[in-house]
Amino acid sequence: MNAKLVCAVSTMITCWATNCTAENSLNKPNILVILLDDAGYNDFGFNGSKDLLTPNIDRLAADGTVFTDAHVSASVSGPSRAGILSGRYNQRCGYECNLGDTLGLGLNEETIADVFLRNGYNTSCIGKWHQGDAPEYHPNRRGFEHFYGFIAGSRSYFYRPNRDDKPGDVHNLQYNGKQLSFNGYMTDVLADAAVDYLDKQKGSGKPFMMYLAFNAVHTPMEATKEDMARFEGHSRQKLAAMTWAVDRGIGKVVDKLKKEGMYENTLIFFLSDNGGAHNNQSSNYPLKGFKGNKYEGGIRVPFFITMGGKYKGTFDGLSSSLDIFSTSIAAAGIDKESLKNPIDGVDLIPYISGEMSGNPHDILFWRKEKSSAVRMGDYKLISVEGLGQRLYSLNDNLGEDNDLRKINPELCKEMTDKYKEWEKGIITPMLWDEGVWHEVTRETHRQLMNNEKVTVFTPDDLKK
């Protein structure tokens, strides 16, 4: 065959293969995880709030499935985010407490970004990281090609060159390791960064996986003058203003997806990293407890999935933030067998599409140092070393104030045995809460377990 003809045929085959690959890639869904920080269960219109305004979030929820019995894998930020990013119980790598300056999500753990990057996706992390300060834990080293955010667990919402934004500080805003200054309000800055990233996706030829992790509504309680003025006289003015801002930001992101024709093909998850905190005016009504403890207010979170209006409704089955990983890879056609580690989540799409019924999980577990919990069906068992156990039926007693241990000793034993079996698959914590904070957690649990008013939130409260 003529050499020129061979070359031409080869070129045609190469172009065809490339176009096929690009077309197949573009048919895969985009993945967007929207994570808020310390947001209360009852602080969104779709979940019952009457005083906080969340019109954009509510519209997005109405276009999807709202989960009424969804939980995170830990009641504090760092380990909860580790569960989302790895799809595995965070305790499997010893991540039970917020880890401080040097440690982070175990380096043997494969992240959701690692998997999507390997499978032809563009990957982006925007916002709060909180998975380790050392270089080896940096988002760019954990599968995220694009990182626009900050490494630490919290920071000011405004540019503070003499505080959070000092050169080299882990609180400062950065882009792929390079420190940035910024004007305006952090929530708006992060939303604008997400919109800018989406704009760059139009001609990439690849689907994207974005982890958009706002630090709102975590302390410090800071809002713009304009947003504060909007809620003047509100009993929770700062939280209302901060929530309005994050709702505005999410609205910008969704509007961009719709404008670029990407909304219908983007699988969106929305949730908080743990229950509302005691110090940010949040409400977890009708749940008992708050961030940092094993009661429902600490671990049950607002959660929904949206994909262009394809799945609409409410789902009451027992579900977990660990399911985000499983659901995402299933939607993208990524085989679980290709993963480095077995994951603990479940693909939720068959449940919300009606293909499957019942609970995605028969049982869920939690542990942080000397406190633990087991959820099995409608029952929940809380155990704290030195304080004993409490058994509740959440179907009959969502407020968790009626202890059923004495009338269900066999169930207590069964759940305890299952917990002990699960413990065999986790490791000793890399770090324990330091000193007095352990006593704070213990005393908070004691008051909750005895149905007392909680008065201990910080070390200073122990002295009173």
Side-chain angles (χ1 to χ4, degrees), residues 303-365:
F303 179 60
F304 63 77
I305 295 176
T306 299
M307 191 169 181
K310 193 172 182 180
Y311 312 107
K312 290 188 178 183
T314 301
F315 182 73
D316 299 325
L318 183 59
S319 47
S320 168
S321 59
L322 300 173
D323 302 332
I324 292 172
F325 197 124
S326 299
T327 305
S328 297
I329 64 169
I334 299 171
D335 189 353
K336 277 188 178 183
E337 297 301 315
S338 70
L339 304 181
K340 178 180 178 181
N341 300 311
I343 52 178
D344 294 306
V346 174
D347 176 13
L348 295 174
I349 297 300
Y351 291 91
I352 63 177
S353 67
E355 295 175 38
M356 297 181 68
S357 60
N359 288 313
H361 294 270
D362 296 323
I363 193 164
L364 289 173
F365 303 96

Side-chain angles (χ1 to χ4, degrees), residues 80-147:
S80 172
R81 291 161 190 260
I84 293 169
L85 289 166
S86 69
R88 288 159 47 86
Y89 281 110
N90 41 282
Q91 296 88 351
R92 296 204 186 282
C93 65
Y95 199 167
E96 296 188 16
C97 307
N98 289 326
L99 291 177
D101 298 331
T102 56
L103 298 170
L105 173 60
L107 297 176
N108 287 325
E109 297 296 320
E110 187 174 47
T111 73
I112 190 171
D114 288 325
V115 174
F116 276 95
L117 183 63
R118 189 170 69 240
N119 282 274
Y121 275 66
N122 293 328
T123 57
S124 173
C125 173
I126 296 175
K128 170 177 170 175
W129 179 237
H130 206 199
Q131 293 301 300
D133 300 351
E136 60 267 30
Y137 297 109
H138 192 277
N140 292 149
R141 302 277 290 273
R142 306 308 300 269
F144 290 103
E145 303 167 291
H146 174 274
F147 173 58

Side-chain angles (χ1 to χ4, degrees), residues 338-396:
S338 70
L339 304 181
K340 178 180 178 181
N341 300 311
I343 52 178
D344 294 306
V346 174
D347 176 13
L348 295 174
I349 297 300
Y351 291 91
I352 63 177
S353 67
E355 295 175 38
M356 297 181 68
S357 60
N359 288 313
H361 294 270
D362 296 323
I363 193 164
L364 289 173
F365 303 96
W366 295 266
R367 188 181 85 171
K368 181 173 178 281
E369 300 182 320
K370 298 183 179 181
S371 61
S372 64
V374 182
R375 174 72 186 275
M376 191 169 73
D378 291 329
Y379 288 93
K380 181 176 168 189
L381 182 69
I382 296 176
S383 305
V384 181
E385 187 174 315
L387 298 178
Q389 296 180 314
R390 299 291 186 273
L391 178 67
Y392 305 105
S393 171
L394 298 184
N395 185 50
D396 304 319

Side-chain angles (χ1 to χ4, degrees), residues 49-232:
S49 178
K50 303 300 183 184
D51 66 327
L52 299 188
L53 301 181
T54 54
N56 293 301
I57 294 171
D58 295 343
R59 278 193 291 271
L60 190 59
D63 218 17
T65 299
V66 175
F67 290 71
T68 64
D69 199 6
H71 299 75
V72 286
S73 61
S75 64
V76 292
S77 177
S80 172
R81 291 161 190 260
I84 293 169
L85 289 166
S86 69
R88 288 159 47 86
Y89 281 110
N90 41 282
Q91 296 88 351
R92 296 204 186 282
C93 65
Y95 199 167
E96 296 188 16
C97 307
N98 289 326
L99 291 177
D101 298 331
T102 56
L103 298 170
L105 173 60
L107 297 176
N108 287 325
E109 297 296 320
E110 187 174 47
T111 73
I112 190 171
D114 288 325
V115 174
F116 276 95
L117 183 63
R118 189 170 69 240
N119 282 274
Y121 275 66
N122 293 328
T123 57
S124 173
C125 173
I126 296 175
K128 170 177 170 175
W129 179 237
H130 206 199
Q131 293 301 300
D133 300 351
E136 60 267 30
Y137 297 109
H138 192 277
N140 292 149
R141 302 277 290 273
R142 306 308 300 269
F144 290 103
E145 303 167 291
H146 174 274
F147 173 58
Y148 185 100
F150 58 94
I151 297 297
S154 65
R155 59 152 292 134
S156 171
Y157 289 81
F158 299 99
Y159 186 66
R160 306 284 194 227
N162 296 319
R163 193 175 73 186
D164 290 343
D165 295 290
K166 295 180 290 187
D169 196 303
V170 293
H171 298 85
N172 65 50
L173 184 67
Q174 63 166 272
Y175 170 61
N176 288 350
K178 182 180 179 180
Q179 182 175 349
L180 304 172
S181 61
F182 65 95
N183 295 313
Y185 185 63
M186 177 60 79
T187 301
D188 292 322
V189 169
L190 296 178
D192 289 344
V195 170
D196 183 63
Y197 181 81
L198 293 176
D199 192 60
K200 292 179 171 62
Q201 295 308 298
K202 291 182 292 184
S204 74
K206 293 182 179 181
F208 68 83
M209 183 271 150
M210 181 192 291
Y211 173 65
L212 177 54
F214 290 98
N215 53 317
V217 290
H218 194 292
T219 56
M221 302 301 288
E222 297 174 344
T224 66
K225 291 179 180 179
E226 295 79 9
D227 289 340
M228 288 290 284
R230 175 182 287 274
F231 295 98
E232 185 173 357

